[in-house]
Amino acid sequence: MKKAYIYDSLSGNKKPLTKTDVQLYVCGPTVYNHVHIGNIRPLITFDAFYRFLLKDGYKVQYLHNLTDIDDKIINRAEEENKSEHEVSEFYIKAYKQIMKSLGIKQMTMMPKVSTNIKSIIQYVDRLIKKGAGYVTPNGDVYFSIDKVKNIYGTLSKQKIDQLLNDVRKEAKGDKKNKLDFALWKQTDKGLSWKSPWNDKGRPGWHTECALFINKYMGDTITIHGGGIDLKFPHHENENAQNYALIGKPIAELWMHSGHINVNNVKMSKSLNNFILAKDLIAKYGSNAIRWFMYQTKYENPVNFSDELLNASANEIEKITNHIGNAIVQLKLGGISIATTNGKMSAEFIKAMENDLDFPLAVSEIWRQVKSLPDLIKNKKYKETKEVINNLFAEFDVLGLSFNSKLDAKTLSLITKWKKALSTKDYKTADSIRNKLIK
């Protein structure tokens, strides 16, 4: 097994995965609405990463959280005259359907905030006892960034003085520092739980992921991933809590996927230019969407347009047609294809081990696909079979399904044709062959 190298967005350098056991944590959605295409880019990116690591010989523990307690969920529940639980469970179900539609491989665990309240309270209490958390007169609990001012801002490449200048003036007066963030907040609205600090409260957003990592994965994990928009303040605040509690970074490596732009404009709800994932999947299907995501390095912004998605759909169709035609020719030559025993090509592995170089991996798939017609023409069936098996292995890593036009009827005709030839029933064989050619 070769070492994979990952671009660490903290250090700005590529670093090797030096251990065969990998712990991967990727922040999940706040389940108050249907997810949009910006949400599914990291979902697809880290799914391909997860699949590749497993096939490349790594052991991977992969956690992806679900935020089912949040002000946005409370507001949506009020709008729809439903309970928060009804809202969150509806959108969790919708999110899992999106995952299924996109062929996302099941993670090791998908913990919910609501089922971990006791652990969160204990985690916050540990921070208070460490002197990193403090309780205000009204029962709110804040994290004191002064306890980690030597490292705060290093992940997002920002200085505390500048952050203080940028922070909103209307920040609550009971904070010791305007940059301090809520660990636990007193509430008289929505779901609440009793804690040592108040009778009705709920956790702050930044604490849940830090708790999940600490509870399920340990002091420091191998890789923390997510979209670039989470780098600050969310990931910065997660890291701060871990430093305050344990004296170590929360992750050895940080991976951040880039923004999605729509027609060269950054996608945002304020501009109303976001596109729901479910609508995109219904229009283009999983293969075209995933293939589109692989045309650009995952760290870079990617521009969405219908033209680009249509191009991706056409490319996938060309690729599957080439593979389908080659499979027919192999079957006509009496050679069967086992779609589960393939190995990735050396160049594909090299591309993926080099910081998930998706564009290079795509180029390698095209190289192999374009080699098929000549291999078939020269009756190099063994080499043809090897290439197809490679492609199926690479499709599996990229979460692409092989949707060939080789339906059961066509395959049955091929079998009948072979049988007619073997019994020297040439009239029947020629008739079936003509159908197959069509």
Side-chain angles (χ1 to χ4, degrees), residues 3 87 100 123 159 173 223 243 292 321 374:
K3 287 181 181 177
V87 169
K100 183 178 179 181
Y123 186 85
K159 294 182 179 180
I223 301 166
Y243 260 107
F292 161 75
N321 283 345
D374 282 342

Side-chain angles (χ1 to χ4, degrees), residues 58-336:
Y58 291 84
K59 290 174 65 177
V60 187
Q61 182 187 14
Y62 181 11
L63 264 67
H64 184 60
N65 72 301
L66 296 165
T67 300
D68 61 341
I69 297 171
D70 190 86
D71 290 344
K72 294 175 182 177
I73 297 172
I74 295 172
N75 295 337
R76 178 53 63 94
E78 289 182 345
E79 289 171 11
E80 298 183 0
N81 196 26
K82 294 178 180 177
S83 70
E84 290 160 71
H85 178 75
E86 286 176 314
V87 169
S88 63
E89 287 302 309
F90 175 84
Y91 289 112
I92 285 173
K93 185 177 179 181
Y95 184 63
K96 289 183 175 179
Q97 182 56 52
I98 291 293
M99 292 172 63
K100 183 178 179 181
S101 299
L102 289 172
I104 302 298
K105 188 176 181 66
Q106 183 64 49
M107 296 89 171
T108 311
M109 189 181 294
M110 292 180 70
K112 296 191 292 188
V113 178
S114 62
T115 56
N116 283 272
I117 295 296
K118 183 178 179 180
S119 296
I120 292 173
I121 290 173
Q122 291 170 345
Y123 186 85
V124 172
D125 190 53
R126 289 168 64 195
L127 285 169
I128 293 171
K129 288 175 179 175
K130 278 277 188 177
Y134 60 92
V135 186
T136 66
N138 72 342
D140 288 333
V141 184
Y142 286 104
F143 180 86
S144 174
I145 68 151
D146 288 339
K147 298 296 180 182
V148 290
K149 57 185 177 183
N150 58 320
I151 63 97
Y152 196 79
T154 53
L155 177 62
S156 54
K157 310 294 188 296
Q158 300 182 89
K159 294 182 179 180
I160 288 181
D161 290 344
Q162 184 59 49
L163 288 170
L164 284 169
N165 289 334
D166 295 341
V167 77
R168 293 180 300 179
K169 292 180 180 179
E170 60 268 24
K172 283 188 179 180
D174 51 4
K175 287 185 180 183
K176 293 180 180 179
N177 186 312
K178 290 181 180 179
L179 293 175
D180 291 349
F181 56 88
L183 299 173
W184 187 267
K185 48 190 177 183
Q186 187 275 338
T187 183
D188 55 7
K189 186 178 180 182
L191 288 173
S192 62
W193 290 264
K194 187 174 182 178
S195 73
W197 319 292
N198 50 49
D199 289 334
K200 296 178 67 177
R202 63 179 185 270
W205 175 42
H206 305 301
T207 302
E208 62 189 72
C209 292
L211 173 276
F212 289 144
I213 288 171
N214 186 260
K215 179 178 178 179
Y216 296 113
M217 305 177 92
D219 291 352
T220 299
I221 60 172
T222 318
I223 301 166
H224 196 318
I228 189 67
D229 55 309
L230 294 179
K231 183 183 280 191
F232 185 86
H234 188 53
H235 290 166
E236 193 77 69
N237 291 348
E238 284 182 59
N239 200 40
Q241 290 169 90
N242 207 70
Y243 260 107
L245 195 62
I246 299 164
K248 297 178 181 179
I250 203 166
E252 296 172 9
L253 300 168
W254 290 86
M255 294 174 68
H256 290 100
S257 58
H259 287 297
I260 285 189
N261 299 325
V262 177
N263 296 319
N264 293 308
V265 177
K266 180 182 172 183
M267 188 178 67
S268 71
K269 290 182 179 178
S270 62
L271 294 174
N272 199 32
N273 65 343
F274 64 93
I275 301 164
L276 295 180
K278 66 184 183 72
D279 297 335
L280 200 68
I281 294 169
K283 186 173 183 179
Y284 294 104
S286 173
N287 274 355
I289 295 168
R290 293 190 75 131
W291 191 248
F292 161 75
M293 296 291 186
Y294 300 141
Q295 306 306 306
T296 309
K297 290 216 69 179
Y298 75 89
E299 304 100 326
N300 297 339
V302 62
N303 185 52
F304 167 86
S305 71
D306 283 311
E307 287 181 354
L308 291 172
L309 259 295
N310 281 319
S312 290
N314 291 334
E315 286 185 12
I316 284 292
E317 185 174 9
K318 286 179 184 178
I319 289 170
T320 52
N321 283 345
H322 271 295
I323 296 172
N325 290 337
I327 290 173
V328 169
Q329 295 302 321
L330 287 180
K331 285 187 176 291
L332 293 177
I335 299 171
S336 62

Side-chain angles (χ1 to χ4, degrees), residues 1-7 14-20 48-49 52-58 223 253 255 297-299 344-358 360-361 397-398:
M1 183 188 69
K2 297 177 182 178
K3 287 181 181 177
Y5 282 80
I6 297 301
Y7 175 78
K14 284 185 185 178
K15 292 186 175 180
L17 290 182
T18 56
K19 301 172 185 175
T20 55
F49 185 42
F52 174 72
L53 289 177
L54 292 174
K55 195 173 281 288
D56 202 32
Y58 291 84
I223 301 166
L253 300 168
M255 294 174 68
K297 290 216 69 179
Y298 75 89
E299 304 100 326
M344 301 172 287
S345 74
E347 289 303 311
F348 182 88
I349 293 172
K350 184 178 178 181
M352 294 294 284
E353 286 186 333
N354 183 24
D355 188 35
L356 291 188
D357 192 337
F358 288 139
L360 191 58
V397 165
L398 297 179

